[in-house]
């Protein structure tokens, strides 16, 4: 089922790459008279008011007539630049991060005047820019725009040393469960993007990649609860868009970090860029070796036992996950001129994990008398490899705001999981049985994306946007289980377990077009959009032999649906400090690959996880009204939201046979959710600041007589921050999520307390920081399932606390950004 579009996309990217290299080579190999030292522009860049040289600043050379970027260079360690040029009329621009640009015009190079000496060129610090910059080095700050909230990750100590999954768990209204699934405002129907697009860095399962992606490679996170039509309609609860670090500042600059932790969380990362003239190089690299000890228990009681045997099963498990992961993203921005920029980028992710799970079972009859026990060891090796290639072209027209962008993306992913099981059962009569099994799961994904967007302004505030996107995915899953009935461990004694072995294919193709109209009239800003998407989805269990090929079970399962997704955003600024915001969007949550795959996971033979190939998409209508106040020392956001979802998907649990349960997703019915959210930032004084987020919501799910539920719950995240540049910075964070009713039971409360300290060193170029998360080891996922045939009480901890991380960060040619006063946690309400 590999689509021809895959081959076409590879050829397109390869061709584009060759063309870029050719252009690059042509630009780099200019005629000899251009690069000859005979004609040059030179000088020395110094800091204003001193004779201190400015190292590694960018000096760009433009044609005087049409401002075309011709060439450029960097100042050396003495601030000196010497740029070869051809005869002509030019102007130069000197740039360095944190300083005001300096332009020298009317430079004429000719045979009679072959060298222009600018002498000492003074460049001054941009104090206004430094004062107004949104704080990134000290705290996570929230910006509010017309259709999204942006959390600048910066140096929030709660994110120190964590993965992308840990980072998301620290954001307001976002929760991450025991399996790494991300929920927004209590709903797991959320689309996670990287740099605005689906990415292989997230991984096939979504959760695995987030746990391997280093948090210190992330610049910011956008939370979009009612996305506009320019975004994919996927995700009923909205979109979480992770923005990776990438700098285009002039010269050479970057940051470097090393860390160590208990339990083991050792790693290093580097984020650098080098810009000279018409090209900017960037690279982000991170490596982490982590050990995650976890534990849990499950107590199942069955009330429909056909005979006096199994009635209660007590399960205890200990697990240890050891992983070595690497992430690298590198590329270049090629500036053909100031209005045409081509970006080539590639990402690579590799994760190698060794996971050991030990599970003990105790079996009791109706009289509460134990009649057997069982001990199972699962040793799993997992390898995850992902490559992603991307080409972006950006064209700015002469009219301000008029823009054309084009994107090509190709992704190739592979995951291999190999497990060895040793299972021993002891019976009360002295009988002992041993079962040796092994399983192998091979996953692969190929994804292609092609996108074209155009923005046309009608006036200073009014504009029209239009675009189209193709997104194609092909995934295969080969799963095999083998048993050594003789329990010898010898290769020749392993036999395939036919009913647990299968090959599954998944192919999805989504075609989309959209249009957006927006304007601002005095105090009112509005945006209306419409997106159309056509989805073709094909899945199939592939037969392993000819006899199975004619079976009805192996017939392809195809779905095709066309849908329209309107969106609307409106902001009314009714006073100098207050704004009212209203938004609406229609969303879709398509069945995910693992929810459609009917294969049985076999890590726990008494608790099976299945997919449902007949699962249908669910549709959500989302409404939100919010009020924002920007006061001198405080920022307050109050919002009310409502979501109506049809064909809502829930995982239900049921009894297969005595002592064995299975979980699978089903379409239940409709769900109504109404919620209230607050975000408050308050500067007590110059040293102390507090922030608080509270999300309160009520959900009612209609799934029939036995699968309906009504839940009212609240979650909150609160922080106290202390800043003293002469001493240290500190923060204290507390998270709490109240119990929540579910269609088959209840999820119990969870909470955690984190603390952090940091100290700037080496003239503010370095920072030493210590973070301790889950200080009292209370971040336990607990719940209870209640059905007509059994009850289950469970508790699990993915990583035991407390978790401590010590890090050192060094900034090269980067000034540490300063906080802006006045509670500025939100800004840009009118920007769109």
């Amino acid at each position: 089922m590999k689509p021809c579009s895959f081959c076409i996309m590879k050829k397109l990217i390869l061709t584009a790459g060759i063309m870029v290299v050719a252009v690059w080579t042509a630009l780099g190999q200019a005629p000899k008279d251009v690069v000859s030292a005979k004609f040059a522009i030179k000088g020395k860049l110094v800091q204003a008011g001193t004779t201190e040289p400015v190292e590694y600043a960018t000096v760009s050379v433009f044609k005087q007539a049409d401002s075309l970027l011709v060439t450029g260079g960097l100042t050396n360690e003495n601030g000196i630049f010497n740029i070869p040029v051809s005869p002509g009329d030019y102007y130069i621009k000197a740039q360095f991060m944190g300083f005001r640009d300096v332009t020298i015009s009317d430079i004429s190079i000719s045979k009679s005047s072959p060298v222009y000496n600018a002498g000492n060129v003074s460049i001054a610090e941009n104090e206004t820019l430094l004062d107004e910059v949104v704080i990134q080095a000290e705290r996570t700050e929230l910006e509010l725009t017309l259709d999204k909230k942006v959390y600048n990750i910066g140096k929030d100590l709660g994110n120190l040393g964590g993965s992308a999954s840990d980072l998301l768990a620290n954001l307001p209204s976002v929760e991450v469960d025991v399996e790494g699934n991300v929920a927004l405002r209590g709903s797991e129907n959320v689309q996670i993007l990287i740099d605005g697009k689906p990415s292989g860095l997230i991984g096939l399962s979504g959760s695995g990649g987030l746990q391997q992606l280093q948090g210190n490679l992330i610049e910011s996170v956008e939370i979009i609860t009612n996305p506009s039509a320019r975004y994919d309609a996927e995700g009923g609860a909205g979109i979480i868009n992770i923005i990776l670090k990438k700098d285009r500042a002039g010269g050479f600059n970057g940051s470097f970090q090393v860390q160590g932790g208990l339990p083991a969380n050792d790693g290093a990362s580097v984020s650098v860029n080098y810009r000279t003239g018409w090209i900017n190089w960037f690279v982000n690299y991170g490596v982490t070796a982590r050990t995650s000890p976890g534990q849990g228990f499950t107590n199942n009681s069955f009330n429909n036992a056909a005979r006096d045997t199994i009635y209660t099963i007590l399960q205890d498990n200990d697990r240890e996950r050891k992983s070595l992961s690497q992430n690298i993203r590198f590329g270049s921005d090629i500036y053909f001129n100031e209005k045409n920029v081509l970006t080539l980028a590639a990402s690579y992710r590799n994760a190698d994990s060794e996971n050991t799970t030990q599970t003990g079972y105790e079996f009791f009859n109706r009289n509460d008398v134990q009649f057997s026990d069982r001990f199972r060891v699962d040793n799993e090796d997992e390898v995850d490899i992902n490559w992603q290639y991307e080409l972006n072209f950006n064209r700015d027209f002469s009219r301000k705001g008029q823009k054309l962008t084009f994107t090509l993306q190709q992704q190739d992913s592979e995951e291999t999981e190999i497990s060895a099981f040793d299972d021993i059962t002891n019976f009360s009569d002295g009988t002992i049985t041993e079962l040796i099994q092994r399983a192998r799961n091979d996953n692969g994904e190929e994804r292609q994306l092609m996108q074209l967007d155009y923005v046309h302004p009608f006036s200073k505030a009014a504009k029209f946007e239009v675009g189209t996107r193709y997104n194609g995915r092909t995934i295969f899953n080969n799963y095999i289980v083998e048993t050594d009935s003789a329990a010898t461990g010898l290769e020749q004694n392993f036999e395939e377990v036919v009913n647990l072995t299968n090959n599954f294919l998944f192919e999805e193709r989504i075609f989309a077009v959209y249009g957006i109209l927006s304007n601002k009239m005095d105090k009112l800003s509005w945006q209306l959009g419409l997106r159309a998407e056509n989805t073709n989805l094909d899945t199939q269990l592939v037969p392993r032999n000819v006899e199975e090929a004619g079976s009805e079970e192996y017939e392809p399962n195809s779905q095709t649906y066309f849908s329209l997704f309107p969106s609307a955003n409106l902001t009314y600024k009714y006073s100098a400090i207050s704004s009212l915001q209203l938004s609406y969007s229609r969303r879709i949550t398509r069945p995910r690959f693992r929810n459609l795959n009917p294969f049985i996971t076999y890590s726990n033979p008494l608790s099976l996880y299945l997919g449902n190939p007949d699962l249908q998409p669910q549709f959500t209508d989302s409404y939100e009204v919010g009020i924002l106040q920007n006061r001198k020392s405080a920022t307050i956001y109050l919002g009310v939201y409502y979501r109506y979802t049809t064909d809502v998907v829930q995982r239900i649990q049921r009894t297969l046979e005595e002592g064995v349960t299975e979980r699978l997703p089903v379409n239940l019915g409709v769900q109504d959710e109404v919620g209230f959210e607050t975000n408050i930032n308050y500067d007590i004084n110059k040293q102390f600041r507090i922030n608080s987020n509270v999300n309160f919501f009520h959900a009612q799910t209609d799934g029939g007589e036995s699968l309906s539920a009504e839940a009212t719950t609240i979650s909150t995240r609160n922080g106290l921050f202390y800043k003293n540049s002469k001493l240290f910075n500190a923060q204290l964070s507390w998270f709490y999520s109240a119990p929540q009713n579910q269609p088959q039971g209840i999820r119990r409360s969870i909470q955690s307390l984190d603390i952090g300290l940091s100290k700037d060193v080496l003239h503010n170029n370095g920072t030493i920081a210590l973070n301790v998360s889950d200080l009292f080891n209370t971040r336990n996922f607990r719940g209870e399932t209640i059905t007509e045939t059994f009850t289950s009480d469970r508790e699990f901890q993915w990583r035991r606390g407390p978790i401590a991380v010590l890090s050192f960060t060094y900034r090269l040619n980067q000034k540490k950004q300063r906080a802006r006063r006045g509670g500025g946690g939100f800004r840009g309400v009118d920007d769109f």
Side-chain angles (χ1 to χ4, degrees), residues 165-198:
S165 182
D166 299 325
L167 185 150
L168 293 180
N170 285 332
L171 294 182
S173 301
V174 178
E175 295 183 25
V176 181
D177 71 9
V178 62
E179 297 173 349
N181 299 311
V182 178
L184 177 59
R185 289 176 171 174
S187 173
E188 292 184 5
N189 302 317
V190 57
Q191 169 84 324
I192 299 177
L193 305 176
I194 291 185
D195 290 331
K197 294 173 284 295

Side-chain angles (χ1 to χ4, degrees), residues 15-29:
T15 302
I18 293 173
M19 291 174 61
V20 170
V21 172
V23 172
W24 190 355
T25 304
L27 289 173
Q29 296 179 346

